[in-house]
Structures are given as structure tokens and as C-alpha cells.
Amino acid sequence: MRRPNEANREKFITAAVRELEEHGVSDFSIRRVARRCELSCAAPYKHFESREALMLEVIRHINKKWLGILESTVTGYRERPLREQIVAVCMAYLTFLCTYPEYQTIIFMNDRVFPSEMLAEKGKLSQASEDLIAHYCASVGMSEANRRRKTFIVRSLLYGAAIMINSGAMAFDSESMSLVRESIEREFDLA
């Protein structure tokens, strides 16, 4: 059984996700977070020293969820060719973005508003796919310019598809997922 303090901490993180989704970083209010949890405005400060500390914990919470999914995906594809690993990780990330649409607002927030520690934490979300793409490009002798282009195109495909799916412009079904998968695979057919 959880201690009440742990339960409250998790409630604050969940409420902070909603707060960031609705108000962004610049208008983030720890008071509204407390109100959402039906606790006093001082209660969050028992768990987080500042609003920035709470926002950092939100990003860490998102990372923790993603890293659990990433770990199981990488484990399942470890012995497969790099291209298959890239596609598997990318499709897992797209599924993550569509399964947790409330995280999308935070993941896509303008990085200029985040302090450096939050930026570093946020950067962990896409690091695995970027590392796999870099490793693949190096293994086949692609130039740095091609690696940057492929990274850009793959990220654009994933983020664009997530936005379209979460907005209802595209269905979250096997046909849409196949379209994204084929597009990523096609990108690696090109030199």
C-alpha cells in the first residue's frame, strides 16, 4: 500500500500534466495544480521545491514511461538488423505519443522556455531513435548531411503522424501505422 505522501506526489504530477497541457510553461500555476488535487496551495511544496522542480518531475515521469516501452522494444529487436530496430523503436514511439496524447503538448513545447536541466531531460525522449539512425548511417557510410536529413524526416513523420492521429485527421489504426512504417522504411531505401 502506498503512503499518502507518495499518492499525493503522483496526483501532483498528473495534475501538472493537465496544467501544462492547458496553460503551457509560461502560465503554469502550482496553485491550480493544488486546486486540481483538492489540496492546499502549500501542499505541492512538501514534494517539490518549486514550480520548475514539479515541471521537471513531469518530464521525468513521461521519460520513465517511454523508457520502459523503449527497453522492451529494444530487447525484442536486439538481434535484428539496425533498420528493423530503427523502425521498431520509431513505431513504438508513435504508439506512445498516440496512447498518451496528454504528453504530446509537453513533448512538443517550445524548448526556449525550458531551463537547461529540463531540456536535457526532454531530449532523452528522442535520443534512442537518433542514436540508432546515426549508428545505421555510419555503418553504411552515409554522410553527416544524410544522417541529419534522415533524422529530420523520421522525426517529422513521427511527430506529424502523432499530431494527425491525436487531432482526428488520421485514424489510429493498422492502416495508418502501416503507412508510417512504410514511409520510414522507404526513407532508409534512399541513399
Side-chain angles (χ1 to χ4, degrees), residues 36-54:
R36 287 174 191 267
C37 296
E38 299 178 348
L39 294 166
S40 76
C41 62
Y45 293 103
K46 293 177 184 173
H47 303 277
F48 311 98
E49 65 184 42
S50 65
R51 69 191 278 277
E52 289 76 17
L54 176 52

Side-chain angles (χ1 to χ4, degrees), residues 9 11 24 28 50 57 69 103-106 133 155 189:
R9 181 178 170 82
K11 281 170 60 173
F28 180 85
S50 65
E57 282 307 309
I69 294 165
Y103 297 162
Q104 193 170 335
T105 303
I106 298 158
I133 292 168
R155 288 183 77 184
D189 288 338

Side-chain angles (χ1 to χ4, degrees), residues 5-185:
N5 285 346
E6 288 179 42
N8 282 346
R9 181 178 170 82
E10 288 182 29
K11 281 170 60 173
F12 289 132
I13 291 170
T14 301
V17 167
R18 296 287 180 222
E19 176 70 12
L20 286 165
E21 185 179 26
E22 292 174 17
H23 297 279
V25 174
S26 59
D27 194 30
F28 180 85
S29 166
I30 209 158
R31 237 178 233 282
R32 282 193 301 259
V33 169
R35 197 174 315 130
R36 287 174 191 267
C37 296
E38 299 178 348
L39 294 166
S40 76
C41 62
Y45 293 103
K46 293 177 184 173
H47 303 277
F48 311 98
E49 65 184 42
S50 65
R51 69 191 278 277
E52 289 76 17
L54 176 52
M55 288 188 290
L56 180 59
E57 282 307 309
V58 166
I59 295 169
R60 286 182 176 149
H61 171 79
I62 294 168
N63 279 346
K64 185 177 177 182
K65 275 195 188 261
W66 163 239
L67 292 175
I69 294 165
L70 174 63
E71 187 176 308
S72 66
T73 302
V74 168
T75 299
Y77 281 81
R78 184 160 283 141
E79 302 303 319
R80 302 289 192 90
L82 276 173
R83 279 178 58 151
E84 288 183 37
Q85 291 178 40
I86 292 167
V87 173
V89 166
C90 289
M91 297 311 295
Y93 191 51
L94 177 58
T95 301
F96 174 76
L97 291 171
C98 295
T99 303
Y100 301 101
E102 65 274 18
Y103 297 162
Q104 193 170 335
T105 303
I106 298 158
I107 293 167
F108 295 162
M109 276 185 187
N110 183 334
D111 287 343
R112 291 179 301 214
V113 299
F114 286 113
S116 60
E117 190 176 10
M118 282 188 220
L119 282 176
E121 201 62 38
K122 194 173 158 213
K124 292 177 183 178
L125 286 163
S126 59
Q127 195 60 54
S129 59
E130 289 178 25
D131 290 348
L132 283 170
I133 292 168
H135 187 62
Y136 173 79
C137 290
S139 75
V140 297
M142 277 190 203
S143 69
E144 179 61 18
N146 275 346
R147 184 209 53 84
R148 283 193 311 272
R149 185 181 59 75
K150 289 194 180 309
T151 301
F152 169 76
I153 289 170
V154 169
R155 288 183 77 184
S156 297
L157 281 166
L158 294 174
Y159 291 154
I163 289 168
M164 292 173 70
I165 289 168
N166 290 334
S167 72
M170 188 170 154
F172 186 29
D173 60 13
S174 60
E175 186 178 334
S176 296
M177 297 300 275
S178 290
L179 180 63
V180 174
R181 175 184 299 280
E182 290 165 10
S183 298
I184 293 169
E185 289 170 347

